[in-house]
Amino acid sequence: MAKLEYQEKDGKVFCPLVDKWLVAKPEEKVRQRYICTLVNEYGYRLEQMAQEMKVNNSQRGQGKARADIVIWKSKEDKADLKNAFVVIECKAENVKIHVEDYYQGFNYASWAHADFFVTTNEKETKFFDVDPNHLPQRLEEVVAIPTAKDVDDAKKIEQLKNQTKTFTREEFTKTLKACHNIIRNNDKLSPEAAFDEISKLLFMKIRFERDNKGTKVFTKAEYEAQAENHEKNVRPGLKNTELYNLSYMQFLFRTTKDYFKDDQLFEDKDEINIRENSFVQILEKMENYNLSDTQDDVKGIAFEQFLGTTFRGELGQFFTPRTIVDFMTEILDPNESETICDPTCGSGGFLIKAFEYVRDKVEASVREEKDRLREVIEGTDYDSVGEDEQLRRNEAIEEMQSALNKELDTQVKNSRMYKLSRNCIYGTDANPRMARTSKMNMIMHGDGHGGVHHHDGLLNVNGIFEERFDVILTNPPFGQNVDRNQLISEVDRFTDEDMKKKYKAKYGKAYDEALKQVDDNIGKSVLSLYDLGNTSTLTEVLFMERCLRLLKKGGRMGMVLPEGVLNNKNLQAVREYFEGRAKLLLICSIPQDVFIAAGATVKPSLVFMRRFTDEEEKEYQKCKDEAEKEIRKAHQAEFDKLTNAIANCESLVDTLKNDLKNAKARLKNAKKNKQNTASIENEIESIQNEQKDNKANKKSYEKQLIDLEKNIEEEIKPLVKTKFDYDVPIAKIDDAGITTTGAASDGNQLPTLVEEYKKYHEDNALWAIQKSSITYKQNADGKYCRIVDGKEEVIDE
């Protein structure tokens, strides 16, 4: 079969399926190029295809359905108007694929009982299995469609339908493991060091593919071509001797470090520590994946699986099981308008889940708005108007969809996803490998990495400082102690003046105050920064206080904690500290099995708190004052008796002192006059004994008063709880979805608890649900605007 050539001239493109030259609109170009692909690469013939197919208006409710390209199994099936085999919807190259935008094509695919539905914008093509028993939103993405020679091969078709994106994810995981093995075999590095090298290469690949906006993949051939160009054209012109002496591989990494400089991913001294042949082999293994376009849930979950197998063991403590991460995030239910932090983020599990969770809400919001605006643009008379008017309305719908899709692109400035990924997600980890891993993990899941830092989580950095966050999710290190000799040093001081200017512009005066936490305490103990530093040196206790301080008033947090924090008598003062500053939202006991695979031996609990609002602080203080007043009133007589007794003792001290002084003076005179001194000496002894008794009595009364004060304090505490009373839900989970080996269990009870708690917290208004009201409209200039809580904002071009 002769190769079908794409033809374009004089602003028109040839369309072989209708044998016409049509205006070369962006969508038409994509359609005609894809028809060439179907003929040349898949082997389909023009006579078994058609374009711009519309459902007959007599088909009730399907007047709006059309398809850009339809393929039948044969030209005979097409002639007999049998069921279509594949339906394809095309969009312009600049329209990122979102399945809800392809409603007409999918409606046609469903109506025509097609086996497969395809969406393409030329840069990105997605394939779906059309299951007639499922609604559109339950389309199953698959890896490919059959070639022409396989259309009657039921086994082959079934095989393709079973190769879902899960299959792709597994393939990507295998590829990452294969790359890891290349380094271990060729370069003899440890698993963790080999992972570091893969991280560097992945960042280089991401940087290249982002620079090329997804149109090029960083392949072995691309690298070799660029290396040759570097040697011939770039290197001779380099004036920097250090750069001139670098191999192209090291030069490329150096420029990648510069690209990610603001993220502080790499140290200045970092370089590639593998041989170039290992580097090239890995590029070859990764050629099938474009990391700027590959679906976030494919590459992200694959990367997590790879992390789990690479770091199981030595670094297992950095990984909170996915079931726990999902549960805790869903319990706290973060929203688009909220800022989220994990000051001990490890590999980034909580931050990734929070990012995905809010991203899903944004996508759902945009999808609803698309549906609403589509109905407005289509109008109620769409089926009865002429084709030209239908075409005009369809183009208006596509323009609207394209505008709203910008909201879902993290690279479009001021889009909703841009704001989420850059302004709402923050984390720190003291381990440099884990901080870098967290950033990579987040990029793999769709971004949001910019707020993650290699830094001591107890100290301020970037936007991570007091009263900044609505939601905190964390699994802090526990069972360890902060050394009382650990001092804040010059190394902890943030000295990058350019970044400080950026942060100050972003956070205002609060950032200047945040820097003082370190700048004003150089040479002091880290423990001195915290109220509980004198009470406990346990890391879990200090991070509890740190998280409470990081929260805004009314902010909420979820923490993985050892059960000892909740029931150890030695930590009673710690519990009281938090009871006076936050409300407990939920305590959930989970099996010890959950963390055994990560090497933990302590039985954990999941503890959820909400910092007091201003009103609750006042109410708590009022309850405390009232309780103290009541208890003190009840003990007033005893208190007065003791204080009077102490006062009498103090008064008697001076009297006895004067009596003793006078007696000693008389004794001196008597001796001088050679008088009998026996009675005076007896008197002095008696006074001295009385002094001793008075001193002992005073000490006794003072001890009784101290004991009374302690009793009063102890009696005040339960009365405060009675006055400041609220329910604390407590749950015990026997199956948290994970076994001792780290495998998934069958009876995960956490999703049921999420549903129960969601209704409970909404019914009881446990926290204000901060949902922005966002709608869209066209302004007078024809630009689409978002309306946020009544304020109009033009979507960035």
Side-chain angles (χ1 to χ4, degrees), residues 655-678:
T655 300
L656 292 173
K657 186 176 180 181
N658 287 330
D659 289 349
L660 182 62
K661 182 180 177 181
N662 292 331
K664 285 181 177 180
R666 282 188 283 113
L667 177 64
K668 184 178 179 181
N669 286 330
K671 285 181 177 180
K672 182 179 179 181
N673 297 322
K674 298 182 180 181
Q675 296 175 346
N676 187 342
T677 60

Side-chain angles (χ1 to χ4, degrees), residues 746-788:
D746 295 328
N748 186 2
Q749 298 170 320
L750 294 175
T752 301
L753 181 55
V754 167
E755 291 304 312
E756 292 174 354
Y757 189 78
K758 183 177 180 181
K759 183 176 187 308
Y760 174 81
H761 94 68
E762 288 177 350
D763 289 348
N764 291 276
L766 296 186
W767 64 82
I769 301 175
Q770 301 176 26
K771 293 184 179 177
S772 291
S773 172
I774 301 179
T775 56
Y776 294 86
K777 72 171 188 178
Q778 267 185 303
N779 65 15
D781 297 327
K783 305 268 187 191
Y784 276 93
C785 305
R786 74 175 77 88
I787 314 298
V788 183

Side-chain angles (χ1 to χ4, degrees), residues 3-275:
K3 184 177 181 181
L4 182 63
E5 298 287 347
Y6 173 81
Q7 301 178 65
E8 182 181 345
K9 64 180 181 181
D10 300 329
K12 292 191 174 183
V13 60
F14 183 67
C15 306
L17 292 180
V18 292
D19 195 25
K20 290 180 181 177
W21 289 86
L22 299 178
V23 176
K25 293 182 178 179
E27 183 180 319
E28 195 62 64
K29 292 180 183 181
V30 171
R31 173 158 53 187
Q32 297 312 316
R33 287 196 183 102
Y34 199 67
I35 288 170
C36 292
T37 298
L38 291 168
V39 172
N40 299 330
E41 296 181 20
Y42 287 86
Y44 291 108
R45 295 180 177 274
L46 293 174
E47 54 262 35
Q48 68 187 110
M49 292 190 280
Q51 78 173 56
E52 199 64 30
M53 295 293 294
K54 292 186 178 66
V55 174
N56 190 305
N57 283 344
S58 65
Q59 297 292 328
R60 181 175 176 80
Q62 295 291 340
K64 299 167 191 174
R66 67 167 184 81
D68 288 324
I69 306 171
V70 180
I71 306 174
W72 285 265
K73 287 187 175 182
S74 65
K75 66 177 182 179
E76 290 78 18
D77 281 2
K78 175 184 174 183
D80 294 341
L81 294 179
K82 290 188 176 179
N83 290 345
F85 183 53
V86 182
V87 171
I88 299 149
E89 180 104 349
C90 303
K91 294 291 183 189
E93 186 180 2
N94 65 339
V95 179
K96 190 168 177 63
I97 290 180
H98 294 279
V99 176
E100 67 270 14
D101 297 346
Y102 295 81
Y103 68 101
Q104 293 194 62
F106 180 76
N107 282 347
Y108 191 99
S110 299
W111 172 81
H113 300 291
D115 288 84
F116 295 95
F117 175 51
V118 179
T119 64
T120 184
N121 63 0
E122 194 167 16
K123 283 198 309 183
E124 184 181 17
T125 301
K126 294 185 180 182
F127 310 98
F128 300 92
D129 169 23
V130 182
D131 188 335
N133 297 317
H134 284 176
L135 296 171
Q137 58 265 37
R138 295 189 64 188
L139 279 171
E140 186 80 62
E141 189 172 349
V142 294
V143 298
I145 57 172
T147 60
K149 65 183 178 61
D150 294 324
V151 294
D152 291 316
D153 187 337
K155 186 176 180 181
K156 178 71 172 178
I157 291 172
E158 188 62 26
Q159 184 183 27
L160 284 172
K161 283 176 176 278
N162 289 330
Q163 287 184 334
T164 63
K165 62 185 177 185
T166 303
F167 170 87
T168 309
R169 187 163 62 232
E170 290 168 357
E171 288 299 304
F172 187 38
T173 306
K174 289 177 184 175
T175 300
L176 288 171
K177 290 178 181 176
C179 295
H180 196 248
N181 289 334
I182 287 170
I183 294 176
R184 295 192 67 186
N185 294 335
N186 289 0
D187 303 278
K188 313 304 179 188
L189 298 182
S190 69
E192 294 79 17
F195 173 81
D196 287 344
E197 298 309 304
I198 289 179
S199 293
K200 294 170 187 174
L201 192 147
L202 287 172
F203 274 105
M204 293 162 77
K205 182 175 170 65
I206 285 170
R207 177 253 176 132
F208 175 88
E209 287 160 4
R210 278 188 178 176
D211 281 351
N212 286 280
K213 302 188 184 303
T215 59
K216 280 186 180 181
V217 175
F218 193 34
T219 62
K220 173 185 174 182
E222 189 70 40
Y223 171 76
E224 289 175 341
Q226 288 208 3
E228 183 179 355
N229 178 63
H230 178 79
E231 292 301 319
K232 287 182 179 179
N233 303 316
V234 179
R235 191 174 189 177
L238 289 173
K239 295 180 181 179
N240 184 311
T241 305
E242 184 185 356
L243 291 178
Y244 181 87
N245 290 331
L246 292 176
S247 69
Y248 179 61
M249 178 179 73
Q250 298 292 359
F251 176 83
L252 198 60
F253 179 59
R254 175 67 66 88
T255 57
T256 299
K257 284 199 297 184
D258 290 342
Y259 180 86
F260 288 103
K261 182 182 178 182
D262 287 356
D263 296 319
Q264 299 172 315
L265 273 178
F266 304 104
E267 301 292 336
D268 289 340
K269 63 184 179 181
D270 284 349
E271 58 182 19
I272 302 294
N273 296 314
I274 58 176
R275 302 168 187 172

Side-chain angles (χ1 to χ4, degrees), residues 64 103 373-382 393 397:
K64 299 167 191 174
Y103 68 101
L373 291 172
R374 190 185 68 224
E375 289 184 8
V376 171
I377 295 168
E378 278 182 344
T380 56
D381 60 344
Y382 180 90
R393 295 185 191 182
I397 288 171

